Amino acid sequence: TPWKDRQRLAFRIGSVFGQKSQLWLHLPPVDTFNLLARIYELDWSEYLKRRAELVELFELEEIMHIPARKLSLGQRMRCEIAASLLHRPEILFLDEPTIGLDPVAKGAIRDLIRRANREEGVTVFLTSHDAGDIEHLCKRVVIINQGQVILDGSVSALKRDYMPERQIDLKLGAPVTGELRLPGVRELKATAYGLKLAVDTRVSPIEATVAHLLREYPVQDIAITMPPMEQVIAAIYQGKGVAGCTARS
C-alpha cells in the first residue's frame, strides 16, 4: 500500500502549492535548491547539472541570488515549479499554480508547465478553480462536487457534449437583406457587412451550416468559436448539456 512506502514514493513525486511556498522567503532560491538537493539525496555533480538545466529552462539566472521575499509572485512560482523538478519526479502535483497571477504571468507559468510535461515527460496532476488553467493545460479533466466525482472525460469532449452551441462571425463583402432561416441557427447580431450567429450543432452540424453560409452569402472572412471553459463547467453543474463523458452522481 502507498502509505507504507511513503518515503520511497516521495522521491518520485513533485508538488507545488499555490498558497504554500517551499521557498525560504529570507533566502535566495539557490539556497532552497541546495537544501532540497540534500533532502532528496542527490549526487552533487548531477544536481548542479540539473539545476543549470532548470535555471535555463525557467529563465531564473537573474533571480537565483535574490531573497525570495523580494521576488514577484510570478518569479516565485517559476522557482517553485523548478524546485519541484530538481529530483526528476515522475509525477508533479500542482495545486492552484496560477492563483493571484496577472494574465501575462499566468501565460508564462502555463507555458512552463507544458514544457515540463513535454520535455521532461512528467505526468502532471493539476487542481485549479481557474478554468483557463484546465483549458490551456489539460487533455483530461475530472470535475468534483462536494467530494464526489461527477464527471471524468477529455476537455474536447466536455466542450463538444456539454455545450454544443458554437458562435459564427461573418464578415461580408456586400450588404445583405432578408432573414436567415436555418434550423438550429439563431441570429445574434446583424449589420450591413457583418453577421453573428449561434448554432446548435445537435440540430445543424457546423459543416453544413458553414457550407450554406458560404454558398448563400458574399463571405470575406469567417470565425467559429467555442464557449469558454467557465461556461462549460457552469452548464455541467447546472445539469445542462448532453451526456457524452463519463458522469457520476
Side-chain angles (χ1 to χ4, degrees):
T1 53
W3 66 269
K4 291 183 178 180
D5 294 323
R6 184 175 182 273
Q7 184 173 356
R8 181 179 62 84
L9 292 175
F11 281 73
R12 301 167 59 186
I13 295 172
S15 61
V16 174
F17 299 97
Q19 301 188 66
K20 186 176 181 181
S21 177
Q22 63 183 324
L23 299 174
W24 290 74
L25 293 181
H26 296 289
L27 298 177
V30 66
D31 287 349
T32 296
F33 283 28
N34 292 344
L35 175 61
L36 290 172
R38 298 296 188 188
I39 291 174
Y40 285 107
E41 302 174 1
L42 303 180
D43 175 82
W44 198 252
S45 61
E46 287 297 317
Y47 156 66
L48 293 177
K49 180 180 178 181
R50 175 63 169 167
R51 189 181 74 186
E53 292 174 355
L54 293 171
V55 166
E56 180 179 0
L57 176 63
F58 286 79
E59 300 180 354
L60 303 177
E61 182 64 40
E62 296 182 358
I63 62 175
M64 283 294 284
H65 297 278
I66 300 174
R69 70 178 187 278
K70 295 185 178 181
L71 301 178
S72 70
L73 186 57
Q75 289 172 328
R76 290 205 302 271
M77 188 53 64
R78 280 157 50 201
C79 292
E80 293 275 2
I81 298 174
S84 71
L85 294 171
L86 279 172
H87 57 296
R88 300 184 186 275
E90 299 172 28
I91 300 174
L92 180 62
F93 289 96
L94 301 176
D95 180 43
E96 305 284 2
T98 64
I99 190 169
L101 299 182
D102 62 73
V104 174
K106 279 187 180 183
I109 293 299
R110 288 168 180 167
D111 182 59
L112 289 171
I113 294 171
R114 277 193 296 268
R115 291 182 64 183
N117 171 252
R118 182 177 64 249
E119 299 177 14
E120 300 279 333
V122 181
T123 298
V124 178
F125 283 84
L126 169 71
T127 60
S128 180
H129 288 88
D130 187 330
D133 287 346
I134 300 168
E135 190 166 14
H136 288 91
L137 293 172
C138 300
K139 295 180 180 178
R140 176 186 173 191
V141 60
V142 177
I143 298 178
I144 298 174
N145 185 30
Q146 297 182 349
Q148 299 294 319
V149 175
I150 61 172
L151 190 139
D152 183 350
S154 69
V155 171
S156 59
L158 287 187
K159 287 191 171 185
R160 182 186 67 242
D161 298 332
Y162 281 82
M163 286 299 293
E165 190 170 270
R166 301 291 181 270
Q167 182 174 298
I168 297 180
D169 289 275
L170 298 175
K171 180 181 179 182
L172 305 175
V176 295
T177 58
E179 183 179 353
L180 173 66
R181 293 184 179 180
L182 278 176
V185 179
R186 293 182 294 112
E187 186 179 285
L188 300 177
K189 183 179 180 181
T191 63
Y193 292 90
L195 197 59
K196 181 177 292 187
L197 307 170
V199 182
D200 187 339
T201 58
R202 295 169 298 183
V203 178
S204 181
I206 198 70
E207 296 86 353
T209 304
V210 170
H212 176 87
L213 294 171
L214 293 175
R215 185 171 59 250
E216 299 295 329
Y217 290 86
V219 177
Q220 284 191 336
D221 192 20
I222 185 169
I224 303 171
T225 56
M226 301 179 73
M229 182 59 70
E230 289 89 347
Q231 189 175 343
V232 176
I233 293 175
I236 292 170
Y237 279 114
Q238 294 165 6
K240 300 176 182 178
V242 181
C245 302
T246 303
R248 308 173 188 176
S249 59

